[in-house]
Amino acid sequence: MTEEVHILNGSWIIGLKQAKQNSTSEITSWTKHNIIRLIGFAVSISFLLSFIAILQAYRLANRASLHDALTHLPNRRFAMSILEQLQQGSFSIISIDLNRFKIINDTYGHAVGDALLIEVAKRILSTLRSSDTIARLGGDEFLIILPRVTERDSINRVINKLEKHVCELPFRYQDTTLDVCMSMGVARYPQDASTLSDLLHFADEAMYLNKQQKREE
């Protein structure tokens, strides 16, 4: 390629010529000069991918340790951590137990029992505020945590809402239709107990009393 450049006393012709080179030798030369850098990049990427995989596995394991596998609700460990954080203020808990759940399991099988637990968990969750917590403690036992709620009227409104949304509609699973009935017991912190263990015991006692009353009705 040439180009003529005009100046005051004449002109110049500037020319460029591309030298012929062996492309293979260029690649080989580049690789020799950058092999250490390439290895470093590969090792760094490998470490990064391993770290991401380990971090993801840790997150999944931590989530699994804090949530119930069947209902995907928080479990007892999660609920206790929430209660410990709330001890600086006031709150209430509602202990819930499904009535006749063992009979349902024995009569219709565990598939129906598991489906009932999942449905009850969804119904309870749909009635609560975003600041409330519903946890499955095990079996057919659930625990509701109501932060900053200790007035009887407010708690009764929650209980009435739960009775309506959880128990009014029957549960249908394939060809099986079942009535949903549950017992509830309330405990307020710090009015009813000064420790978490006593608070849970107080709520359980109230729940069993409610269950006994429903059996006698």
Side-chain angles (χ1 to χ4, degrees):
M1 178 184 294
T2 61
E3 181 68 26
E4 186 175 1
V5 180
H6 296 279
I7 56 177
L8 291 176
N9 297 324
S11 62
W12 288 79
I13 296 178
I14 299 175
L16 298 174
K17 180 179 181 182
Q18 184 175 359
K20 294 182 179 181
Q21 294 183 355
N22 190 317
S23 58
T24 303
S25 63
E26 285 184 354
I27 295 174
T28 303
S29 176
W30 185 90
T31 303
K32 286 181 179 179
H33 286 87
N34 294 275
I35 186 66
I36 296 177
R37 185 178 299 174
L38 290 173
I39 294 174
F41 284 156
V43 172
S44 299
I45 292 174
S46 180
F47 273 119
L48 178 61
L49 293 176
S50 299
F51 176 77
I52 293 174
I54 293 172
L55 181 61
Q56 184 66 13
Y58 170 78
R59 287 178 176 174
L60 292 175
N62 187 57
R63 177 176 175 81
S65 69
L66 296 174
H67 288 77
D68 174 56
L70 179 64
T71 62
H72 303 296
L73 293 177
N75 58 16
R76 179 183 291 272
R77 180 183 174 191
F78 190 106
M80 292 305 297
S81 67
I82 295 294
L83 293 176
E84 289 172 358
Q85 295 173 26
L86 293 176
Q87 276 189 288
Q88 303 301 322
S90 60
F91 61 92
S92 297
I93 61 173
I94 303 176
S95 179
I96 297 176
D97 188 84
L98 298 184
N99 297 340
R100 302 186 300 274
F101 181 73
K102 185 178 185 304
I103 296 175
I104 292 173
N105 257 345
D106 294 341
T107 304
Y108 301 99
H110 290 283
V112 175
D114 288 348
L116 176 60
L117 290 173
I118 294 172
E119 178 63 21
V120 168
K122 290 179 180 178
R123 293 184 185 185
I124 295 175
L125 190 60
S126 67
T127 67
L128 300 179
R129 304 172 302 172
S130 59
S131 58
D132 301 332
T133 300
I134 168 67
R136 183 190 177 202
L137 302 186
D140 60 331
E141 298 178 17
F142 296 89
L143 182 72
I144 294 176
I145 303 173
L146 306 173
R148 301 179 301 278
V149 176
T150 55
E151 295 182 0
R152 284 291 183 182
D153 290 342
S154 299
I155 298 172
N156 288 336
R157 283 196 294 269
V158 174
I159 290 177
N160 292 334
K161 192 176 180 182
L162 287 169
E163 288 279 4
K164 179 179 179 180
H165 286 80
V166 178
C167 301
E168 281 193 353
L169 292 177
F171 166 68
R172 293 182 175 87
Y173 180 79
Q174 297 180 353
D175 298 330
T176 302
T177 301
L178 299 169
D179 292 329
V180 181
C181 185
M182 61 185 186
S183 300
M184 292 179 279
V186 175
R188 300 174 299 163
Y189 182 89
Q191 291 90 330
D192 298 325
S194 58
T195 66
L196 293 182
S197 58
D198 289 342
L199 188 74
L200 292 169
H201 180 73
F202 190 98
D204 284 341
E205 289 293 321
M207 182 269 295
Y208 286 123
L209 179 61
N210 181 245
K211 185 183 289 286
Q212 185 62 35
Q213 291 171 347
K214 290 186 175 183
R215 286 174 181 172
E216 295 174 353
E217 292 177 353

